[in-house]
C-alpha cells in the first residue's frame, strides 16, 4: 500500500497490482495540514461498476504502454465469429439468436473454445456495461434496433444477414480493443450459458444507484463545463465535421445504389428487344441474338455490382455514421465528468470558506454564552464534512484524469482503425468496379470476335 | 441536372465529306495493295485523318492491331457507296458542310427564323490530289429537302427512297433538347441530311435523276422546276388513292410478307429507341451522382491529416468519372441516329408495298371492268340475259330495244372493250415493271440494311468497350489514391 502522493510510473503493463494514478491534488488544492488524515486507498471503484478485473487495473500512463504493446505484438489471441441466425418462438415473443463462437489462448479463459447463443438484447446489454465501465472509451457501434420502415422488416432475410455481419464486426472490434477485451462482462458474454448470463445481468449496480448516476449526469450536463481543455474542443470540432462528411458519403452511396437499380430496370428491357428483333431477320438474326445475350450478361454484372455496394460499402459507411454519434456521446460524458469535478471543487472551496467564517463567528458568540464545548463539536462536524468532500473531490479528480487520458489514447487508436477501415472499404469498392468493367469488356469483345470470325467464314470481308 | 450549355451553331468539322473521302481513298489504296488491316502502317497525317473521321462519324477507331479490321468495317459503308459507285459519286464529292440561321418572311408574310444548310460539291480528282479549289455550293433549307424527297417518291414509287432525318426530335431523354433550333439537334440534322444526299447519290437509279442533280447545283429556280414536272398532281391523286381503303383480290405473297416485315421492323426499332433513351437517362444519373463523391472527399480531406492527400486526389478521379458520361452518351446518340434511319427506311419499304398494292388493285379493277364489259357484249349479242341486270329487268318490262339501238350499243361496247384491253395491257405491264424494279431495289435494300445494321451493332460494341476501358482506368486510378489514404 502506497500512501498519498507517491506515484510509481515504472509499473509495467498488464500485471501491476494497485498502481495509482498520478496524484495531482497538490497542484489543484492547497495541501492542508490535515492531510495526514487522508489515506488514499487504492480505490478499485475509481470507475462505476465493478466490471474491471483487478489485475488489469493500470494507470493511464501504463495504459498507453499497453496500447503500444498490443500494436507491436500483432498476435491475435482471440477469435470471435457471429453466425447461424435462428428464430425462437415463445408464447410472448419471437426473436432471433445468433451463434457466437470463440477461440482463444488467453489464460483467463477456462477453455480454448466456446460456443453460445445470444440475442440482440444481450449485445445491447454488453455495450451498455462497457460504456458504463469506461465512459470515455470509444466502443464500436451496434447495428440499429430496427428498420424505421416497419417492424415487419425485422425478420426479413437481408435485414438479419446485415445485422449478423454488423454484430460480428462489433464483437471483433471489442476483442481487438486493449481495454474492452479484458472486461469481465465481455468474457461472460462469450462464455456463459444462457442461464448464467441472465443471472449475471441481474447483478451490478441496482436501479436506484443507476438512477442516481443519471441524475448526477443530468445535473452536470446542465451545469456545463467551464474550462474545457483546448484539445477536447478541437476533438469536438473534428467530430462535428467528420459526422457531416460521413453522413454525406452514406447518402451519396445510397443514391448511387438507387440510380443503378433504376438503370438496371431499363437495361433489362434492351436484351429482349434485340431478341425480338432477331426473330424478324435472316442475316441479322445471329448478330442480334448475340447482342441480346451480351446485354443480358451485362445486366447480370450490373446486378452484382449493385449488390456489392449494398453489402460492403454501405454498411461500413453506416457504421461510421453511428461512430460519429458515439464520439459525440463520449465527449459529452467526458465533459460531464469534468463538470462534476468542477462542481465538487467549488463546493469544497465554499465549505472551507464557511468553516473559516463559522469558526470566527462562533468562537465569539459561544465563548460568551456557552463556553468552549459546542464550538468544538461544530468544528469537528465541519471538519468531518470537509474530509468527506475532499475524498469525493479526489475521486472526481481521479475520474477526470482517468477519463481524459483514456480518451486521448483511445482517440489515437480509433483514428487509426477508422483510417484502416475506410481505406480498405474504398479500395475494395474501386476493385469491384474495375472487375465489373473488366467483365463487361470481355462480354463485348467476345461479340466483336464472333462477328469477325463470322465475316471471315462468310467471305464477306477481304482480310488479305 | 442542368442541360449542357448551348454550343455555337457551327459545323463540327469543316467539309467532313472531304475527310470521309480522303479516308476512303486511303483504305481503298491499302486494300488494293492487299495489306492486312492489322498491318496498316499509317503516316502521322493519316492517323490524324482517321481520328477526325472517327469523330465525325461517331465511331471509335482504335489502333489495336486486334481491332484493325474495325477500321475498314466502319468505312465499308461509305466505301461501298463510292466504289460500287454511281457515276455521280465517281465524279463529284458531295457534302453538307455547314448550317446557318436565317430570318425572313414566309408564305403568309410573317417573320420566321429557320436554318439553312450548305451543300458543297467538289470534283473528285481535286480532292484526292490535295488541292482545294472553291467548291460549288448552295444553301437549302429542310423544307426543300422534303420537296425533293416527295418528288422522288412520286416519280419512283417502286424504289425504296432513302429517308430524311426526323422533322422533330423524338425519343429524347431528358438531357437532349427537343428544340429544333438547339445547336446539337441542328448538327445531327446536318449529318443526317448529308447522309440522305449520299444515299440518293449512290443509288443506281436515283443518282441519275435530273431534278436531284439540279437540287445540288441550281440554287434559284429549282423549286419552280420541280413544280413544272407536274408531280404534285400525281402526288395528290396517289395520296388520295392510297388513303382510301381497298382490298386486293390476289395479293402478291412476297409483297405482303415485305409489308409485314416493314411493320415489324418499325415496331421493334421504335421500342429499341425508347428503351435505349430511358437507359441513357438513368446511366447519366449514375455517373453524375459520383460527382458528389468528389465534392465530399474534398471537404473531408480538409479535416484529415494523413488521409487528406489520398482523399483529395481520389475526389478528382470521381469528378472525371462523372464528366465522362457526356462523351459516352454523345457517341450513343450517333448509334441511335443510325437506328432511326432504318426506322424511317422501314416506312419507305412499307410505302413501296402499299403502292404495289395500289397498282395491283388498279390492274384488278381494269380487268374486272373489262370482263364485265365483255359479258355485256355477249349478252347483247346473243340476246340472253345471264345475270340479273337493270337492262334485263327493263327489257322484260318495257320490251327489248330496236336493232339499231342494239347495234349502237354494241359498237360502243366494242370500243370500250378495246380501250379496256389496252388499259389492262398497260396496267399489266406497269404492274410487271413495278414488281420487277421494286424487287430488284428491295433486294438491294435488304443487302444494304443487313450490312449497315451489322456495322451499327459492331460500332455499338466498340462504344461499350471504350466505355468499359474508361471505367477501368478511372477506378484503377481511384484505387491507387484510396490506398494512399
Amino acid at each position: 500500500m502506497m500512501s498519498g502522493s507517491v506515484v510509481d510510473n515504472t509499473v509495467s503493463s498488464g500485471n501491476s497490482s494497485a498502481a495509482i494514478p498520478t496524484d495531482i491534488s497538490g497542484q489543484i488544492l492547497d495541501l492542508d495540514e490535515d492531510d495526514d488524515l487522508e489515506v488514499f486507498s487504492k480505490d478499485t471503484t475509481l470507475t462505476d461498476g465493478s466490471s474491471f478485473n483487478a489485475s488489469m487495473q493500470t494507470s493511464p500512463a501504463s495504459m498507453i504502454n499497453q496500447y503500444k504493446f498490443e500494436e507491436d505484438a500483432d498476435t491475435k489471441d482471440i477469435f470471435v465469429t457471429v453466425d447461424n441466425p435462428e428464430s425462437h418462438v415463445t408464447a410472448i415473443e419471437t426473436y432471433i439468436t445468433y451463434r457466437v463462437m470463440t477461440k482463444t489462448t488467453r489464460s483467463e479463459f477456462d477453455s480454448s473454445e466456446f460456443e453460445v447463443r445470444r440475442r440482440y438484447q444481450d449485445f445491447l446489454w454488453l455495450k451498455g456495461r462497457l460504456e458504463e465501465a469506461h465512459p470515455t472509451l470509444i466502443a464500436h457501434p451496434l447495428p440499429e434496433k430496427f428498420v424505421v420502415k416497419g417492424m415487419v422488416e425485422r425478420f426479413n432475410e437481408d435485414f438479419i444477414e446485415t445485422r449478423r455481419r454488423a454484430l460480428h464486426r462489433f464483437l471483433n472490434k471489442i476483442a481487438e480493443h486493449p481495454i474492452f477485451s479484458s472486461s469481465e462482462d465481455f468474457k461472460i458474454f462469450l462464455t456463459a450459458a444462457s442461464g448464467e448470463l441472465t443471472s449475471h445481468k441481474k447483478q451490478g449496480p441496482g436501479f436506484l444507484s443507476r438512477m442516481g448516476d443519471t441524475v448526477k449526469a443530468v445535473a452536470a450536463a446542465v451545469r456545463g463545463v467551464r474550462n474545457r481543455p483546448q484539445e477536447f474542443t478541437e476533438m469536438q470540432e473534428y467530430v462535428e465535421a467528420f459526422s457531416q462528411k460521413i453522413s454525406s458519403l452514406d447518402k451519396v452511396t445510397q443514391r448511387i445504389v438507387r440510380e443503378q437499380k433504376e438503370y438496371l430496370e431499363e437495361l433489362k428491357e434492351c436484351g429482349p428487344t434485340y431478341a425480338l428483333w432477331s426473330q424478324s431477320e435472316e442475316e441479322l438474326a445471329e448478330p442480334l441474338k448475340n447482342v441480346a445475350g451480351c446485354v443480358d450478361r451485362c445486366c447480370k454484372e450490373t446486378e452484382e455490382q449493385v449488390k456489392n455496394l449494398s453489402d460492403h460499402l454501405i454498411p461500413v459507411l453506416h457504421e461510421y455514421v453511428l461512430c460519429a454519434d458515439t464520439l459525440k456521446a463520449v465527449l459529452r460524458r467526458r465533459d460531464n465528468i469534468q463538470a462534476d469535478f468542477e462542481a465538487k471543487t467549488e463546493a469544497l472551496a465554499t465549505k472551507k470558506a464557511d468553516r473559516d467564517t463559522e469558526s470566527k463567528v462562533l468562537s465569539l458568540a459561544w465563548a460568551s454564552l456557552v463556553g468552549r464545548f459546542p464550538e468544538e463539536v461544530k468544528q469537528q462536524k465541519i471538519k468531518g464534512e470537509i474530509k468527506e468532500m475532499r475524498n469525493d473531490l479526489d475521486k472526481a479528480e481521479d475520474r477526470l484524469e482517468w477519463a481524459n487520458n483514456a480518451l486521448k489514447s483511445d482517440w489515437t487508436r480509433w483514428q487509426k482503425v477508422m483510417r484502416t477501415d475506410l481505406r480498405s472499404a474504398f479500395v475494395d469498392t474501386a476493385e469491384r468496379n474495375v472487375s465489373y468493367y473488366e467483365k463487361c469488356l470481355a462480354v463485348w469483345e467476345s461479340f466483336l470476335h464472333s462477328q469477325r470470325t463470322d465475316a471471315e467464314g462468310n467471305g464477306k470481308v477481304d482480310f488479305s | 441536372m442542368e442541360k449542357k450549355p448551348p454550343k455555337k451553331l457551327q459545323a463540327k468539322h469543316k467539309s467532313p465529306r472531304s475527310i470521309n473521302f480522303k479516308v476512303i481513298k486511303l483504305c481503298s489504296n491499302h486494300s488494293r495493295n492487299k495489306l492486312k488491316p492489322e498491318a496498316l502502317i499509317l503516316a502521322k497525317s493519316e492517323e490524324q485523318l482517321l481520328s477526325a473521321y472517327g469523330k465525325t462519324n461517331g465511331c471509335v477507331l482504335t489502333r489495336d492491331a486486334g481491332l484493325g479490321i474495325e477500321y475498314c468495317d466502319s468505312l465499308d459503308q461509305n466505301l461501298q457507296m463510292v466504289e460500287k459507285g454511281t457515276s455521280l459519286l465517281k465524279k463529284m464529292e458531295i457534302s453538307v458542310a455547314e448550317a446557318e440561321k436565317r430570318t425572313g418572311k414566309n408564305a403568309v408574310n410573317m417573320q420566321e427564323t429557320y436554318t439553312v444548310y450548305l451543300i458543297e460539291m467538289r470534283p473528285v480528282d481535286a480532292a484526292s490530289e490535295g488541292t482545294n479549289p472553291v467548291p460549288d455550293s448552295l444553301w437549302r433549307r429542310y423544307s426543300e429537302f422534303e420537296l425533293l424527297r416527295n418528288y422522288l417518291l412520286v416519280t419512283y414509287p417502286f424504289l425504296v427512297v432513302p429517308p430524311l432525318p426526323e422533322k422533330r426530335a423524338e425519343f429524347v431523354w431528358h438531357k437532349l433538347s427537343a428544340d429544333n433550333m438547339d445547336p446539337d439537334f441542328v448538327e445531327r440534322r446536318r449529318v443526317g441530311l448529308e447522309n440522305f444526299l449520299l444515299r440518293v447519290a449512290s443509288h443506281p437509279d436515283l443518282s441519275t435523276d435530273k431534278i436531284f442533280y439540279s437540287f445540288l447545283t441550281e440554287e434559284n429556280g429549282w423549286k419552280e422546276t420541280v413544280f413544272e414536272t407536274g408531280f404534285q398532281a400525281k402526288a395528290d391523286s396517289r395520296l388520295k388513292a392510297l388513303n382510301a381503303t381497298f382490298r386486293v383480290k390476289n395479293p402478291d405473297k412476297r409483297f405482303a410478307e415485305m409489308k409485314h416485315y416493314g411493320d415489324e421492323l418499325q415496331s421493334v426499332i421504335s421500342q429499341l429507341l425508347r428503351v435505349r433513351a430511358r437507359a441513357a437517362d438513368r446511366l447519366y444519373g449514375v455517373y453524375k451522382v459520383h460527382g458528389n463523391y468528389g465534392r465530399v472527399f474534398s471537404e473531408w480531406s480538409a479535416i484529415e491529416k494523413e488521409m487528406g492527400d489520398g482523399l483529395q486526389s481520389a475526389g478528382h478521379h470521381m469528378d472525371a468519372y462523372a464528366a465522362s458520361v457526356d462523351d459516352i452518351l454523345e457517341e450513343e446518340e450517333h448509334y441511335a441516329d443510325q437506328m432511326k434511319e432504318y426506322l424511317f427506311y422501314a416506312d419507305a419499304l412499307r410505302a413501296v408495298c402499299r403502292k404495289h398494292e395500289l397498282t395491283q388493285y388498279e390492274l384488278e379493277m381494269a380487268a374486272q371492268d373489262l370482263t364485265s364489259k365483255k359479258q355485256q357484249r355477249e349478252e347483247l349479242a346473243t340476246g340472253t340475259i345471264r345475270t340479273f341486270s337493270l337492262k334485263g329487268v327493263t327489257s322484260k318490262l318495257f320490251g327489248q330495244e330496236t336493232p339499231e339501238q342494239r347495234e349502237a350499243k354494241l359498237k360502243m361496247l366494242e370500243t370500250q372493250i378495246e380501250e379496256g384491253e389496252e388499259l389492262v395491257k398497260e396496267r399489266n405491264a406497269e404492274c410487271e415493271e413495278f414488281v420487277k424494279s421494286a424487287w430488284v431495289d428491295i433486294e438491294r435494300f435488304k443487302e444494304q440494311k443487313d450490312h449497315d445494321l451489322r456495322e451499327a451493332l459492331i460500332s455499338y460494341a466498340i462504344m461499350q468497350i471504350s466505355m468499359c476501358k474508361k471505367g477501368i482506368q478511372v477506378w484503377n486510378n481511384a484505387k491507387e489514391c484510396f490506398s494512399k489514404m
Side-chain angles (χ1 to χ4, degrees), chain A residues 204-430:
Chain A
F207 178 70
L208 283 177
S209 108
R210 281 211 293 278
M211 272 304 288
D213 290 339
T214 312
V215 170
K216 271 194 232 162
V218 170
V222 166
R223 189 187 168 279
V225 131
R226 298 268 167 90
N227 291 307
R228 191 196 289 129
Q230 180 60 12
E231 64 183 313
F232 295 118
T233 305
E234 281 170 10
M235 253 186 223
Q236 186 159 59
E237 284 165 4
Y238 172 86
V239 170
E240 276 301 324
F242 177 81
S243 171
Q244 271 177 25
K245 299 314 152 203
I246 207 79
S247 295
S248 294
L249 286 179
D250 187 29
K251 285 199 198 105
V252 168
T253 311
Q254 294 201 23
R255 176 89 188 274
I256 289 177
V257 166
R258 268 202 309 275
E259 297 281 342
Q260 285 272 44
K261 282 190 175 151
E262 299 201 354
Y263 170 63
L264 192 59
E265 282 309 303
E266 303 299 344
L267 198 64
K268 276 189 178 153
E269 302 202 21
C270 279
T273 306
Y274 282 110
L276 178 66
W277 188 356
S278 74
Q279 289 173 10
S280 328
E281 297 287 343
E282 295 157 2
E283 286 292 314
L284 282 180
E286 186 272 326
L288 282 171
K289 263 199 278 233
N290 209 323
V291 168
C294 290
V295 172
D296 286 339
R297 270 145 72 199
C298 286
C299 272
K300 286 211 170 64
E301 297 301 338
T302 307
E303 221 163 357
E304 209 186 287
Q305 203 226 16
V306 170
K307 193 164 179 300
N308 281 335
L309 267 183
S310 299
D311 286 350
H312 296 105
L313 183 57
I314 289 187
V316 174
L317 290 177
H318 196 61
E319 263 168 36
Y320 274 92
V321 171
L322 296 176
C323 264
D325 290 339
T326 304
L327 290 173
K328 288 182 194 163
V330 162
L331 285 171
R332 258 200 312 274
R333 288 198 285 264
R334 190 219 71 85
D335 277 356
N336 289 345
I337 291 173
Q338 179 166 340
D340 181 56
F341 167 75
E342 287 174 353
K344 292 200 162 91
T345 309
E346 258 184 53
L348 179 58
T350 314
K351 202 70 176 187
K352 281 192 174 170
D354 281 352
R355 174 191 63 180
D356 294 338
T357 45
E358 273 277 325
S359 59
K360 292 199 178 87
V361 168
L362 280 174
S363 57
L364 290 172
W366 279 107
S368 56
L369 289 172
V370 188
R372 282 201 177 269
F373 184 69
E375 176 200 305
E376 281 171 23
V377 168
K378 195 85 180 193
Q379 280 284 29
Q380 280 294 68
K381 184 161 166 246
I382 289 180
K383 246 191 184 168
E385 283 173 355
I386 287 180
K387 180 170 156 192
E388 211 182 296
M389 286 175 84
R390 174 54 85 52
N391 228 354
D392 280 347
L393 179 63
D394 286 337
K395 281 193 209 159
E397 198 180 347
D398 284 338
R399 203 179 305 137
L400 177 62
E401 174 157 355
W402 188 281
N404 286 347
N405 287 323
L407 177 55
K408 275 192 276 198
S409 348
D410 215 26
W411 176 254
T412 317
R413 187 199 61 86
W414 178 86
Q415 287 213 297
K416 271 211 182 72
V417 170
M418 179 269 283
R419 191 174 158 202
T420 311
D421 282 352
L422 291 178
R423 182 201 308 139
S424 73
F426 283 116
V427 166
D428 182 64
T429 302

Side-chain angles (χ1 to χ4, degrees), chain A residues 238 245 253 262 266 270 273-274 277 280-281 283 419 423 431 433 437 441 451-452 463-464, chain B residues 35 66 69 261 264 271 275 278 282 287 293 299 304 307 321 335 449 454 465 475 479 482 485:
Chain A
Y238 172 86
K245 299 314 152 203
T253 311
E262 299 201 354
E266 303 299 344
C270 279
T273 306
Y274 282 110
W277 188 356
S280 328
E281 297 287 343
E283 286 292 314
R419 191 174 158 202
R423 182 201 308 139
E431 272 173 1
N433 283 343
Y437 279 116
L441 181 76
Q451 295 308 300
R452 204 172 307 153
F463 286 155
S464 57
Chain B
L35 270 181
I69 187 56
Y261 170 76
E264 286 184 341
Q271 191 179 321
V275 168
R278 285 202 301 261
R282 290 294 162 209
Y287 273 74
Y293 270 152
E299 292 170 10
E304 296 289 344
M307 301 200 326
Y321 183 72
Y335 172 74
K449 164 200 63 112
R454 190 170 159 274
I465 288 175
W475 285 104
K479 177 179 152 187
F482 285 136
M485 255 166 77

Side-chain angles (χ1 to χ4, degrees), chain B residues 246-249 358-372 423-424 427:
Chain B
F246 54 86
R247 178 92 64 73
V248 169
K249 287 217 175 81
L358 183 64
T359 314
Q360 175 94 340
Y361 178 72
E362 284 174 350
L363 172 62
E364 282 180 0
M365 282 297 106
Q368 209 173 49
D369 195 52
L370 182 65
T371 315
S372 92
L423 185 63
V424 169
R427 293 232 167 131

Side-chain angles (χ1 to χ4, degrees), chain A residues 23-132:
Chain A
D23 187 330
I24 51 169
S25 54
Q27 286 141 11
I28 294 181
L29 301 168
D30 295 328
L31 273 176
D32 225 336
E33 319 70 288
D34 295 333
D35 264 6
D36 59 350
L37 295 169
E38 320 234 315
V39 173
F40 226 139
S41 62
K42 270 60 59 198
D43 209 331
T44 54
T45 58
L46 276 165
T47 54
D48 296 334
S50 49
S51 59
F52 229 28
N53 197 334
S55 67
M56 293 306 292
Q57 189 173 343
T58 53
S59 70
S62 58
M63 216 159 57
I64 296 168
N65 291 339
Q66 183 171 28
Y67 280 126
K68 285 219 191 86
F69 177 81
E70 292 280 17
E71 282 161 28
D72 292 344
D74 196 25
T75 43
K76 218 173 155 191
D77 55 2
I78 180 165
F79 296 84
V80 184
T81 52
V82 177
D83 61 10
N84 192 246
E86 259 174 28
S87 183
H88 293 254
V89 185
T90 68
I92 325 164
E93 53 173 350
T94 311
Y95 60 90
I96 309 272
T97 60
Y98 303 85
R99 180 176 68 165
V100 178
M101 285 212 301
T102 311
K103 288 198 174 75
T104 178
T105 53
R106 286 193 186 171
S107 50
E108 58 269 21
F109 286 82
D110 295 332
S111 143
S112 62
E113 283 189 31
F114 295 92
E115 184 177 316
V116 295
R117 294 208 72 91
R118 296 285 179 250
R119 57 186 288 191
Y120 183 73
Q121 266 182 24
D122 299 332
F123 286 84
L124 276 179
W125 168 84
L126 174 62
K127 180 153 196 253
R129 295 286 292 178
L130 294 176
E131 280 180 342
E132 263 181 73

Side-chain angles (χ1 to χ4, degrees), chain B residues 32 51 91 125 155 171 173 180 188 222 225 230 263 351 393 402 407 418 436 449 453:
Chain B
R32 265 187 226 115
S51 160
K91 272 189 295 173
D125 302 319
T155 316
F171 303 110
W173 51 286
N180 283 6
R188 292 195 2 257
W222 173 78
T225 319
D263 290 337
V393 170
T402 63
E407 202 54 47
E418 244 178 74
K436 205 169 76 185
K449 164 200 63 112
L453 288 177

Side-chain angles (χ1 to χ4, degrees), chain B residues 422-456:
Chain B
E422 270 308 307
L423 185 63
V424 169
K425 232 199 235 160
E426 236 178 74
R427 293 232 167 131
N428 215 0
E430 242 180 66
C431 211
E432 269 176 32
E433 222 7 82
F434 188 105
V435 169
K436 205 169 76 185
S437 316
W439 213 254
V440 166
D441 203 46
I442 285 176
E443 288 297 327
R444 181 203 63 84
F445 168 74
K446 263 208 245 182
E447 241 185 77
Q448 175 196 299
K449 164 200 63 112
D450 286 340
H451 178 272
D452 289 351
L453 288 177
R454 190 170 159 274
E455 289 312 308

